[in-house]
Amino acid sequence: TVNFELDGAFAGRLLGAEGGEPVIVPGATAVGVERTTTAATLRYEPLSLKFGDMSVGVFDWVGKGSTNAAAGRSAAVVAHDALGKEIYRLTMQNARLIEIMFDSLDASSNEAVRVSAKILPGQSIHDLSAKGLYRGETFKQTPLLRSNFRLYIQGVETATLKVRTIDPIGLQARPDGLLVPLPLRFTLPLAFAAPLFVWMNDTLAGKSALRQGELQMMTRDFSKVAASIAFEQLSILRISCPVDASGTKSLQEVEVECLPATTKFNMGDLLVK
């Protein structure tokens, strides 16, 4: 098993972890009148994480990250053998979020929605002292399914409530470290897409205002909103041609791409112990 710790506390089991290690970068050598070699430098690889069922603290950190209000944290990736004995630990200090992503959504899938993140350590170190013991601690199962969602975009709700798939949703850091939204991309049947074509044509004609949007991720029984993502000042960038030359799809579909000014995560039930 591979687990995650946040600020020294067990924070859940990881479904994937790669990177985060320190890397020594050799100095460059120049040959001229005198041979010179610059000193080696040290950098830290970004750590890519796929979260399983995690602690409230992890989801709170992710939610704050979407508003650029998340501080750097101490964190660790810890590997255990089959008996639960710790065999390896990557310890990080001042680790900050540089990417946050929610899984893609699909109306035909019953898989759980997972959150992925990239973290840049301010410092990291390998630790083989094997101090801990994993006793099978877990957190409650995620209430989110990839099929249980509703997308609302102001003024075109009749179309967006028919959306079938949504690409992964999230934010990535700019060179200055500020997390900014990625485009929102989704598909829906052509038969319901007319309001979106009108939105696109109005935008091309300079007549369309920016819109508000919200993705609601429902509980497993669809009785309430378990978590949501708010999109502020959405602009439409593209709507695809619906031609399916292969004839393999039962319905003609279009793909729509929008860009929000902000993407804010409301972690909802993920923050309830």
Side-chain angles (χ1 to χ4, degrees):
T1 60
V2 180
N3 295 322
F4 187 62
E5 292 182 2
L6 192 62
D7 294 336
F10 173 73
R13 187 171 177 180
L14 294 171
L15 303 178
E18 182 177 359
E21 66 273 7
V23 178
I24 297 170
V25 182
T29 300
V31 179
V33 178
E34 295 184 4
R35 182 185 180 91
T36 59
T37 302
T38 58
T41 57
L42 181 63
R43 65 177 172 83
Y44 298 96
E45 285 288 295
L47 171 64
S48 297
L49 298 173
K50 180 84 167 180
F51 293 129
D53 296 322
M54 308 301 289
S55 72
V56 166
V58 170
F59 291 124
D60 179 64
W61 190 35
V62 166
K64 289 177 178 175
S66 71
T67 61
N68 286 290
R73 308 284 287 273
S74 62
V77 173
V78 188
H80 299 83
D81 65 16
L83 299 176
K85 181 181 178 182
E86 182 180 317
I87 53 177
Y88 169 78
R89 172 184 293 261
L90 178 71
T91 300
M92 295 162 285
Q93 300 297 326
N94 193 28
R96 58 184 180 86
L97 292 161
I98 59 171
E99 181 179 289
I100 311 168
M101 299 295 294
F102 271 81
D103 275 349
S104 61
L105 304 178
D106 187 332
S108 65
S109 173
N110 285 320
E111 295 180 357
V113 174
R114 299 298 183 183
V115 178
S116 300
K118 284 187 180 179
I119 296 171
L120 186 63
Q123 182 182 22
S124 66
I125 189 169
H126 303 289
D127 183 355
L128 302 178
S129 59
K131 301 171 185 175
L133 185 67
Y134 176 58
R135 297 181 175 83
E137 299 100 326
T138 58
F139 293 99
K140 72 172 186 177
Q141 187 180 37
T142 175
L144 309 180
L145 295 177
R146 292 178 64 193
S147 57
N148 288 24
F149 68 89
R150 294 172 179 156
L151 178 63
Y152 296 89
I153 295 179
Q154 178 186 6
V156 291
E157 295 90 347
T158 56
T160 56
L161 284 172
K162 301 296 184 180
V163 165
R164 302 291 298 166
T165 66
I166 301 177
D167 282 4
I169 301 163
L171 306 99
Q172 287 181 339
R174 303 186 312 201
D176 63 2
L178 191 69
L179 286 164
V180 295
L182 294 171
L184 169 66
R185 298 186 182 95
F186 54 88
T187 64
L188 74 159
L190 172 62
F192 303 104
L196 295 166
F197 281 104
V198 172
W199 183 17
M200 183 67 186
N201 287 341
D202 285 348
T203 300
L204 292 170
K207 298 185 295 182
S208 181
L210 300 176
R211 300 170 186 259
Q212 307 299 102
E214 182 176 80
L215 174 66
Q216 296 180 349
M217 288 178 278
M218 311 300 294
T219 54
R220 291 173 183 250
D221 62 0
F222 262 93
S223 63
K224 69 171 187 174
V225 178
S228 63
I229 302 176
F231 305 103
E232 299 288 332
Q233 300 182 50
L234 270 172
S235 59
I236 188 168
L237 303 181
R238 180 180 66 88
I239 184 166
S240 72
C241 173
V243 175
D244 173 26
S246 66
T248 58
K249 294 183 178 178
S250 58
L251 289 173
Q252 292 281 357
E253 293 185 335
V254 296
E255 181 181 72
V256 181
E257 182 174 346
C258 302
L259 185 64
T262 64
T263 296
K264 181 180 178 181
F265 301 149
N266 174 6
M267 306 305 281
D269 284 2
L270 296 174
L271 300 181
V272 179
K273 294 181 179 180

